[in-house]
Amino acid sequence: MKITSLCLALLCATVGFAQNANVDANQAANQGAVSNIANNPNQGNQFTGAATFYNPKFDREGSIYLFDGWDQSATIVAKGTGGSFRESNINFNIQRSMFERKVAGDSIVAYNFTSIEKIIVGGREFKSFYLDEIKRNKAFEVIYRGDDFTILKGYTVDILEASPNPMIARPRDKYIQRVTYYLETETKLEEFKLRKRAILEALDDQEMVERAKDYARQYGKSFSNEEDLKLILNYASRK
């Protein structure tokens, strides 16, 4: 299959989705579209137009996008086949929980995780998981993946409303990006705090617990610091 066909097969086919729309909705229809394009590569262009919309502009400080600017490239890995392709001008829309690509001016193409296994941006891996508290799928960044559990990083954005009070000095609304960590196991996905006790309890192996504690103590690493935690867990999980 040509790379172009694979790209188009993974494009989101819905334009007017709401901010809280299920990113994995219409799965059967999307999979049928993927199969159709695989067998008829020349029909792919119709999905390009259907997946393109124009980003509305608001007079607000901050951003709903995770990355500064659109100069990121991403590796997009398809479900099932394991095939992948590269895309440029990529960013992650936190409000929609979707990756988007800027194609021209304010024209945006969105990617739906229905047919996507994962998206990798600058060595950072993103996958979609069902989150019971919101009753739909959500895209998470994978912080650590072990034999018994995975630590995920979820992003949300709130709007801090403007105030006419001159003492507050906030004449415009402001986007506030927030981060929440989750622990994913075979049986559940729940909110999780980066705390030493909670992390050691998640390690279902006493030898790993001791290695984690020894490494943190020897190298002055903190269990509550994300980058330190990656080093601690990667070391502790070595066989």
Side-chain angles (χ1 to χ4, degrees), residues 156-172:
T156 56
V157 62
D158 297 328
I159 299 176
L160 187 62
E161 294 185 353
S163 173
N165 188 340
M167 300 297 292
I168 296 179
R170 192 168 61 243
R172 297 185 296 165

Side-chain angles (χ1 to χ4, degrees), residues 80-107:
T81 66
S84 66
F85 62 94
R86 294 277 293 175
E87 283 285 23
S88 57
N89 304 324
I90 289 285
N91 213 324
F92 179 65
N93 187 319
I94 298 173
Q95 272 189 338
R96 297 187 176 114
S97 195
M98 280 186 170
F99 275 91
E100 297 174 353
R101 178 169 62 91
K102 182 174 285 189
V103 291
D106 293 328
S107 182

Side-chain angles (χ1 to χ4, degrees), residues 47-107:
F47 289 88
T48 304
T52 303
F53 62 95
Y54 293 92
N55 225 12
K57 295 191 178 197
F58 299 99
D59 186 25
R60 292 170 179 160
E61 296 181 34
S63 175
I64 60 174
Y65 288 97
L66 179 60
F67 303 105
D68 294 330
W70 292 82
D71 56 351
Q72 292 74 224
S73 294
T75 299
I76 301 177
V77 181
K79 283 183 179 178
T81 66
S84 66
F85 62 94
R86 294 277 293 175
E87 283 285 23
S88 57
N89 304 324
I90 289 285
N91 213 324
F92 179 65
N93 187 319
I94 298 173
Q95 272 189 338
R96 297 187 176 114
S97 195
M98 280 186 170
F99 275 91
E100 297 174 353
R101 178 169 62 91
K102 182 174 285 189
V103 291
D106 293 328
S107 182

Side-chain angles (χ1 to χ4, degrees), residues 178-206:
R178 305 188 189 281
V179 168
T180 305
Y181 293 94
Y182 290 82
L183 187 74
E184 191 254 350
T185 64
E186 289 184 355
T187 59
K188 60 185 177 181
L189 173 62
E190 60 183 4
E191 192 172 329
F192 181 74
K193 301 294 184 182
L194 298 190
R195 294 174 180 165
K196 180 178 180 179
R197 180 176 179 180
I199 293 164
L200 293 180
E201 287 178 351
L203 291 172
D204 192 25
D205 183 292
Q206 190 57 38

Side-chain angles (χ1 to χ4, degrees), residues 82-233:
S84 66
F85 62 94
R86 294 277 293 175
E87 283 285 23
S88 57
N89 304 324
I90 289 285
N91 213 324
F92 179 65
N93 187 319
I94 298 173
Q95 272 189 338
R96 297 187 176 114
S97 195
M98 280 186 170
F99 275 91
E100 297 174 353
R101 178 169 62 91
K102 182 174 285 189
V103 291
D106 293 328
S107 182
I108 300 294
V109 173
Y111 291 88
N112 191 313
F113 272 92
T114 299
S115 302
I116 294 174
E117 176 65 28
K118 59 185 176 181
I119 295 179
I120 302 171
V121 181
R124 298 164 65 176
E125 178 183 331
F126 294 81
K127 297 190 68 173
S128 179
F129 294 84
Y130 181 81
L131 187 58
D132 189 62
E133 64 189 61
I134 60 175
K135 305 302 180 185
R136 62 183 175 87
N137 279 63
K138 177 181 174 69
F140 292 89
E141 181 177 356
V142 179
I143 300 303
Y144 168 79
R145 182 186 291 106
D147 293 335
D148 300 313
F149 65 89
T150 300
I151 296 178
L152 305 171
K153 186 176 184 179
Y155 296 91
T156 56
V157 62
D158 297 328
I159 299 176
L160 187 62
E161 294 185 353
S163 173
N165 188 340
M167 300 297 292
I168 296 179
R170 192 168 61 243
R172 297 185 296 165
D173 291 350
K174 184 177 182 179
Y175 289 116
I176 305 294
Q177 295 186 12
R178 305 188 189 281
V179 168
T180 305
Y181 293 94
Y182 290 82
L183 187 74
E184 191 254 350
T185 64
E186 289 184 355
T187 59
K188 60 185 177 181
L189 173 62
E190 60 183 4
E191 192 172 329
F192 181 74
K193 301 294 184 182
L194 298 190
R195 294 174 180 165
K196 180 178 180 179
R197 180 176 179 180
I199 293 164
L200 293 180
E201 287 178 351
L203 291 172
D204 192 25
D205 183 292
Q206 190 57 38
E207 186 177 346
M208 289 181 64
V209 169
E210 294 304 321
R211 285 203 300 268
K213 292 193 294 186
D214 289 345
Y215 182 88
R217 182 169 49 250
Q218 181 178 353
Y219 295 100
K221 302 300 180 181
S222 170
F223 285 84
S224 60
N225 178 280
E226 181 183 314
E227 295 304 316
D228 285 357
L229 180 60
K230 291 179 185 178
L231 295 173
I232 293 170
L233 292 177

